[in-house]
Amino acid sequence: MIVNAYAASEKNGPLKPFQYELGPIGPQDVDISVEHCGICHSDLSMLQNEWEMTAYPFVPGHEVTGTVAAVGAQVTHVAVGDRVGLGWHAGYCMTCQECLDGHHNMCATAAGTIVGRHGGFADTVRARGASVIRLPEGIDSSKAGPLFCGGITVFNPFVQYEIPPTARVGVMGIGGLGHLALQFAHAWGCRVTAFTSSGSKQAEALKLGAHDTINSRDPAAIATARGQFDLLLCTVNVRLDWNAYLATLKPRGRLHFLGVQTEPLDLNMIPMLFGQLSVSSSPVGSPGTIARMLTFCDTHGINAVTEHFPMSRVNEALAHLHEGKARYRIVLDRD
Amino acid sequence: MIVNAYAASEKNGPLKPFQYELGPIGPQDVDISVEHCGICHSDLSMLQNEWEMTAYPFVPGHEVTGTVAAVGAQVTHVAVGDRVGLGWHAGYCMTCQECLDGHHNMCATAAGTIVGRHGGFADTVRARGASVIRLPEGIDSSKAGPLFCGGITVFNPFVQYEIPPTARVGVMGIGGLGHLALQFAHAWGCRVTAFTSSGSKQAEALKLGAHDTINSRDPAAIATARGQFDLLLCTVNVRLDWNAYLATLKPRGRLHFLGVQTEPLDLNMIPMLFGQLSVSSSPVGSPGTIARMLTFCDTHGINAVTEHFPMSRVNEALAHLHEGKARYRIVLDRD
């Protein structure tokens, strides 16, 4: 079977139509007929080979929604025609300690949807069983793609750290991840504060679920929040004054990083010691947590706020993201 | 009532006999007739005014065991003659959120036994109610003082982070804290590795409960432990290659600091992200956790390994600690 995709043939090169042969379906494979595919910052990072693991020709796309086109002989949890989604991972070993414990996203040999594989900027994408997750009936597949990477990334810490609804949560950076974090934290029952440097985003953050906002470029404003937060979710990928943010945590609070910080953190230990603070980070989430998130989104009417481009205009869409103009997540629609 | 104590009259000065008037007992006060008092590194730090909160004349000592000499009118949980202990905290507000939640050691207005108060290098020390904890019958009071600060410091993370007995635990630094951490981790049911640079301590670590040891100055040895630990307890107060230690954590592992690190941590985020790692720190523990620890020590026969000096030779004892010669915790016995 021939797949019609968009691929870059070299680092940072433009995406061009690209065809490849899919080969016979394996017993645990699921082929998805792609209808929509979100664009994530990590598609750009991979395109630029920032993490030195990109293979060219490179087909980005790991926020896929569509319908099941074919299933391998051993696949039982989805059937042809089902509405499904696919995120960062396209398969897990299913037998390591982490997989057995339900932490498949920690599987050392998990397959990345766009790492040595061709992704979802295409009419078809193939993945292995457990990574393909059915969409609840109430979920709009045209907006759901971003939940499978950006969404699960910010939803996962609520589950991992058993954040109670009585927690006060701060979201640092209101973009593709942050605008979903605000909605999740609000629906989770938490009191939510948005940290953003953008005046226009402050108003939007309130609509998305924040109870209040703090100007993230105003040290005095940050200082007024001293000792307020149980959980800070950092979705920015620039260096901030981390110790100023640590000071806004309550005793036993957590500063959790979801964006990739390339510079080492320079954390002062004494406030961490006296406050029993934790600093942590995590990548996406397990398929079980993704399924739970989708149900939660269905219950609470949570959607990504999306801008749409036809897939044939993928380069334009990538430029829009690269320029920081996305409000808040771009989705490619199959032409 | 006159208390006979040992005090420094200036920063880093020698301790000399010092008498002070205790004043009438308050309704929630407990006066302890001191029998033994451990010496902790933080007594030295306070003597040197390292944390800029020392008041002179300064009476160190916050690892007290003894018997109750007098109780205030509202004290009901201990009675005159009871064998008790006292640690870093000599009182809590009892009504803030942290106290109400059982996290008294996070109380913002908790009184430090040697912070603006006179400590346990004395024949008598006064503290407020909940901070004075009864010793279980099987606990030897001559060795139990160090449990009240060094012990609870390393016991507390097992409780706070609900470490399961199936966890693999590494203890970095085998000294006053580390030698107790090894015993706790072993009795907790964990597989235990000691990281130490000292050949003689490697052998002792095995006797104290370590299942194996790693030379903490050998980067190749540390590298062989890649992905092994659920919990690393760092009891050293020198800068190590933290990122090399992070690499020895399993997915979802935790590097937890118990010594005071004065230099900022320089942590690489990418391994933290991919492994969902946490870095954290904590100070001592709550009175509820101290009581639980004492019962655990009683059940498992856990004791500090102590060297003893009569209290009148306190300066000699402090020098012994300062020179790094303590094996593993020094206790002053009342003359």
Side-chain angles (χ1 to χ4, degrees):
Chain A
M1 176 191 174
I2 299 295
V3 175
N4 295 291
Y6 291 90
S9 57
E10 58 183 354
K11 180 173 167 172
N12 224 5
L15 298 196
K16 294 178 185 164
F18 167 72
Q19 291 192 325
Y20 69 92
E21 171 65 42
L22 199 53
I25 195 164
Q28 301 190 11
D29 286 343
V30 177
D31 290 346
I32 303 171
S33 176
V34 178
E35 292 170 359
H36 309 277
C37 191
I39 309 182
C40 176
H41 265 282
S42 49
D43 289 312
L44 282 181
S45 298
M46 285 290 291
L47 183 58
Q48 292 158 5
N49 197 20
E50 249 175 53
W51 304 324
E52 294 177 1
M53 58 186 193
T54 308
Y56 300 90
F58 169 61
V59 180
H62 60 276
E63 293 188 339
V64 174
T65 57
T67 55
V68 174
V71 296
Q74 295 171 10
V75 172
T76 55
H77 74 299
V78 291
V80 171
D82 283 353
R83 297 189 328 130
V84 295
L86 174 70
W88 177 258
H89 288 128
Y92 311 98
C93 83
M94 302 303 283
T95 54
C96 71
Q97 186 75 55
E98 296 302 320
C99 281
L100 292 172
D101 286 348
H103 298 285
H104 305 70
N105 55 317
M106 299 277 108
C107 172
T109 59
T113 299
I114 59 170
V115 183
R117 302 173 69 94
H118 292 317
F121 293 1
D123 59 5
T124 304
V125 66
R126 175 171 288 173
R128 286 209 307 274
S131 65
V132 178
I133 298 161
R134 196 195 304 263
L135 294 179
E137 211 171 309
I139 293 286
D140 176 354
S141 66
S142 76
K143 291 172 169 291
L147 295 173
F148 280 81
C149 182
I152 188 59
T153 295
V154 292
F155 184 81
N156 191 45
F158 289 88
V159 175
Q160 293 302 311
Y161 305 119
E162 298 178 353
I163 303 301
T166 52
R168 184 159 174 190
V169 176
V171 176
M172 299 158 63
I174 310 307
L177 271 61
H179 91 286
L180 286 164
L182 292 177
Q183 296 182 68
F184 287 135
H186 185 97
W188 203 261
C190 301
R191 182 170 177 93
V192 188
T193 299
F195 288 86
T196 175
S197 60
S198 154
S200 66
K201 284 190 179 175
Q202 288 185 13
E204 290 181 54
L206 296 173
K207 287 183 204 154
L208 287 163
H211 296 89
D212 46 49
T213 66
I214 291 179
N215 182 340
S216 59
R217 289 207 181 139
D218 179 353
I222 297 168
T224 61
R226 185 174 186 83
Q228 295 296 302
F229 297 101
D230 297 284
L231 175 67
L232 281 177
L233 293 176
C234 179
T235 72
V236 304
N237 53 11
V238 295
R239 187 183 184 134
L240 298 178
D241 180 352
W242 308 126
N243 293 303
Y245 281 95
L246 280 184
T248 70
L249 290 173
K250 280 186 196 166
R252 298 176 294 116
R254 178 184 295 275
L255 170 58
H256 190 72
F257 287 88
L258 300 160
V260 174
Q261 297 292 332
T262 50
E263 286 185 75
L265 301 181
D266 55 333
L267 300 172
N268 292 341
M269 279 303 297
I270 291 184
M272 288 188 65
L273 175 77
F274 283 104
Q276 195 184 311
L277 306 180
S278 291
V279 172
S280 52
S281 186
S282 63
V284 294
S286 71
T289 308
I290 294 172
R292 191 167 287 124
M293 171 192 67
L294 294 170
T295 304
F296 191 75
C297 289
D298 192 13
T299 300
H300 293 280
I302 293 172
N303 272 322
V305 176
T306 53
E307 295 181 277
H308 292 256
F309 289 78
M311 202 172 280
S312 55
R313 284 166 56 199
V314 59
N315 291 302
E316 198 181 324
L318 285 168
H320 191 68
L321 174 62
H322 188 68
E323 290 159 11
K325 293 182 181 166
R327 291 288 179 284
Y328 284 94
R329 203 73 169 175
I330 301 168
V331 172
L332 300 175
D333 303 322
R334 186 164 159 187
D335 291 75
Chain B
M1 176 189 173
I2 299 295
V3 175
N4 295 291
Y6 291 90
S9 57
E10 57 183 356
K11 180 173 168 172
N12 224 6
L15 298 197
K16 294 178 186 163
F18 167 71
Q19 291 192 326
Y20 70 92
E21 170 65 42
L22 199 53
I25 195 164
Q28 300 191 10
D29 287 343
V30 177
D31 290 346
I32 303 171
S33 176
V34 178
E35 292 171 358
H36 309 277
C37 190
I39 309 183
C40 176
H41 265 282
S42 47
D43 289 312
L44 283 180
S45 297
M46 285 289 291
L47 183 57
Q48 292 159 5
N49 197 19
E50 247 176 53
W51 303 326
E52 296 178 359
M53 58 185 193
T54 308
Y56 300 92
F58 169 60
V59 179
H62 59 275
E63 294 189 338
V64 173
T65 57
T67 55
V68 174
V71 296
Q74 295 172 9
V75 172
T76 55
H77 74 298
V78 291
V80 171
D82 283 354
R83 297 190 328 129
V84 294
L86 173 71
W88 177 258
H89 288 128
Y92 311 98
C93 83
M94 302 301 284
T95 54
C96 71
Q97 187 74 56
E98 297 302 321
C99 281
L100 292 172
D101 286 349
H103 297 285
H104 305 70
N105 54 317
M106 298 279 108
C107 171
T109 59
T113 299
I114 59 170
V115 183
R117 302 173 67 96
H118 292 319
F121 293 2
D123 58 5
T124 304
V125 65
R126 175 171 288 172
R128 286 208 308 272
S131 65
V132 178
I133 297 159
R134 197 195 305 264
L135 294 179
E137 211 171 308
I139 294 287
D140 176 353
S141 66
S142 76
K143 292 172 168 291
L147 295 173
F148 280 80
C149 183
I152 187 59
T153 295
V154 292
F155 184 81
N156 191 45
F158 289 88
V159 176
Q160 292 303 311
Y161 305 120
E162 298 177 353
I163 304 301
T166 52
R168 184 159 175 192
V169 176
V171 176
M172 299 158 62
I174 310 307
L177 271 61
H179 92 286
L180 285 164
L182 292 177
Q183 297 182 68
F184 287 134
H186 185 97
W188 203 262
C190 300
R191 182 170 177 93
V192 188
T193 298
F195 288 87
T196 175
S197 59
S198 154
S200 66
K201 284 189 178 176
Q202 287 185 13
E204 290 180 53
L206 296 172
K207 287 184 204 154
L208 287 162
H211 296 90
D212 46 49
T213 66
I214 291 179
N215 182 340
S216 59
R217 289 206 182 138
D218 179 352
I222 296 168
T224 61
R226 185 174 185 82
Q228 295 296 302
F229 296 101
D230 297 284
L231 175 67
L232 282 176
L233 293 176
C234 178
T235 72
V236 305
N237 52 12
V238 295
R239 186 180 184 137
L240 298 176
D241 180 353
W242 308 125
N243 293 304
Y245 281 94
L246 279 183
T248 70
L249 289 174
K250 281 186 195 166
R252 298 176 295 118
R254 178 184 294 274
L255 170 57
H256 190 71
F257 287 89
L258 300 161
V260 173
Q261 298 291 332
T262 51
E263 288 186 73
L265 301 180
D266 54 332
L267 300 171
N268 292 341
M269 279 304 298
I270 289 183
M272 287 188 66
L273 175 78
F274 283 104
Q276 197 184 312
L277 306 181
S278 291
V279 173
S280 51
S281 186
S282 63
V284 294
S286 71
T289 309
I290 294 172
R292 192 166 286 126
M293 170 192 69
L294 294 170
T295 303
F296 191 75
C297 289
D298 191 14
T299 300
H300 293 281
I302 293 171
N303 272 321
V305 176
T306 52
E307 294 181 279
H308 291 258
F309 290 77
M311 202 173 280
S312 54
R313 283 166 56 200
V314 58
N315 291 301
E316 199 180 321
L318 286 168
H320 191 69
L321 174 62
H322 189 68
E323 290 159 10
K325 292 182 179 166
R327 291 292 179 282
Y328 282 93
R329 203 73 170 177
I330 301 169
V331 173
L332 301 175
D333 303 322
R334 186 163 158 187
D335 290 75

